[in-house]
Amino acid sequence: MNRLAIAILNWNGKKWLEKFLPSVVQHSPEADIYIIDNASEDDSVTFVENNFPSVRVIQNSKNEGFAAGYNSGLKNIDAEIYCLLNSDVEVTQNWIPPMIALFDSDQSIAAAQPKILSYHNRNFFEYAGAGGGFIDNLGFPYCRGRIFNSIEEDKGQYDDETEIFWASGCSLFIRSKDFQEQGGFDERFFAHQEEIDLCWRLKNSGKKIMYTGKSAVYHVGGGTLSNQNPEKTFLNFRNNLSMMLKNLPFPNLLWLLFFRLSLDGIAGIQFAFRHGFSHLWAVVRSHVGFYAQLPETWRRRQKHQIRKYYQEKWLVFKHFL
């Protein structure tokens, strides 16, 4: 078994591989590098095979999305630690040693992430992960350095190493045994918030999720679905509700879900004015999708749910009101 394997999920992403795979190969001598291809229709696989012979390609039979795509591909990779890396990420020199040192420091650490900065605005944090992820008591995800759409400038305020609640899927380091013991990502999510759900399940199992500011990467973001795409709205709203049903402690579960469903309705009306009716309809569809999955989601609840899952309370009201 190798120590570290970097796995990059690809779907029609030749332009990203051309731009960012060279930095991964150059700055990752400690790792084996894999491309997990979700049945791309462009020539990205041929490009990798012709230009990066040291990079191994695993081909899935169809586009299975982020969650199932990784679940399928990682079954073919034998390593102690996986690094799930988005194809639109630029890594930096010596980005791996601080991550490995973190895992070596504590066997209860199941997953970790580096500092995630914006590729286009390099002095600022990036939306998907920033300085480490948390959720509030209502289940809204946020990060140190990013609350909803408000992004902080990086002034060294998160150069620490600290325990967090969830690690970003754009650069997710995770022990393979913990990933497999949890059954990987929930494939019903397809994409978006599947890493938060996985980290929450790991926390429910007594594991730690960590962040280190000693390692940094630069993320483009929105490479597959932009924020203006109603499908992204649908997936985020549906998956967040399913994640809450799976992982919230029972005393809070019923009233919190009802409250969140109500807040979603308000958010949907706001989206209709800001982004168009298609986003309001995406919120409606997300609730229908949540109800359709509800019996199976309930079946997937673990025996134990941690009661103190949040760092902040009522973040949505503090931020917007």
Side-chain angles (χ1 to χ4, degrees), residues 18 37 44 54 89 98 128 134 194 213 224 237 241 250 256 297 310:
E18 286 179 322
D37 186 71
S44 50
S54 65
V89 170
F134 295 90
E194 66 289 311
T224 303
F237 275 75
L241 291 169
F250 190 74
L256 269 176
T297 302
Y310 54 88

Side-chain angles (χ1 to χ4, degrees), residues 70-83:
Y70 264 123
N71 284 355
S72 296
L74 291 175
K75 292 176 182 177
N76 299 292
I77 298 175
D78 188 21
E80 180 186 341
I81 299 170
Y82 301 140
C83 170

Side-chain angles (χ1 to χ4, degrees), residues 92-307:
T92 59
Q93 189 174 10
N94 296 320
W95 71 297
I96 290 177
M99 305 303 303
I100 298 299
L102 201 58
F103 283 96
D104 288 342
S105 69
D106 188 343
Q107 289 299 309
S108 67
I109 295 173
Q113 72 157 79
K115 179 193 293 188
I116 301 173
L117 299 169
S118 170
Y119 177 78
H120 292 300
N121 201 358
R122 298 174 80 85
N123 292 327
F124 283 78
F125 289 96
E126 208 280 317
Y127 183 93
F134 295 90
I135 58 172
D136 80 342
N137 64 316
L138 298 179
F140 287 109
Y142 68 97
C143 306
R144 298 193 307 166
R146 189 274 295 173
I147 297 178
F148 294 103
N149 289 321
S150 297
I151 309 292
E152 292 180 28
E153 185 177 0
D154 176 24
K155 298 180 179 179
Q157 66 269 44
Y158 305 123
D159 283 352
D160 57 351
E161 290 188 339
T162 189
E163 188 170 357
I164 56 177
F165 191 79
W166 58 270
S168 172
C170 92
S171 182
L172 174 63
F173 287 75
I174 186 167
R175 293 189 198 272
S176 59
K177 67 179 182 64
D178 290 310
F179 184 87
Q180 301 301 343
E181 284 175 3
Q182 290 296 327
F185 294 123
D186 188 332
E187 297 183 3
R188 302 172 308 152
F189 281 38
F190 189 78
H192 296 295
Q193 300 199 32
E194 66 289 311
E195 80 271 41
I196 306 177
D197 169 66
L198 175 59
C199 288
W200 200 340
R201 285 185 276 135
L202 288 166
K203 297 283 278 189
N204 284 340
S205 301
K207 300 293 185 175
K208 293 179 182 178
I209 316 296
M210 297 293 293
Y211 162 89
T212 177
K214 297 177 181 178
S215 173
V217 300
Y218 294 89
H219 183 214
V220 173
T224 303
L225 284 178
S226 74
N227 290 330
Q228 302 305 313
N229 191 319
E231 190 64 19
K232 189 166 190 171
T233 300
F234 164 76
L235 290 170
N236 272 318
F237 275 75
R238 185 200 64 180
N239 294 349
N240 187 261
L241 291 169
S242 292
M243 176 179 68
M244 291 173 64
L245 180 59
K246 284 174 66 176
N247 296 295
L248 278 172
F250 190 74
N252 299 337
L253 179 61
L254 296 181
W255 77 265
L256 269 176
L257 271 177
F258 176 78
F259 194 41
R260 276 298 307 275
L261 289 165
S262 303
L263 289 178
D264 284 0
I266 297 172
I269 295 171
Q270 181 194 36
F271 286 169
F273 285 103
R274 292 180 61 187
H275 304 299
F277 178 78
S278 61
H279 286 266
L280 170 59
W281 181 240
V283 175
V284 174
R285 289 194 299 116
S286 75
H287 285 200
V288 174
F290 166 67
Y291 291 129
Q293 291 182 348
L294 194 150
E296 176 61 19
T297 302
W298 180 263
R299 189 188 69 79
R300 296 189 185 202
R301 279 177 62 86
Q302 295 169 303
K303 293 182 179 179
H304 173 71
Q305 290 81 31
I306 55 173
R307 292 181 178 271

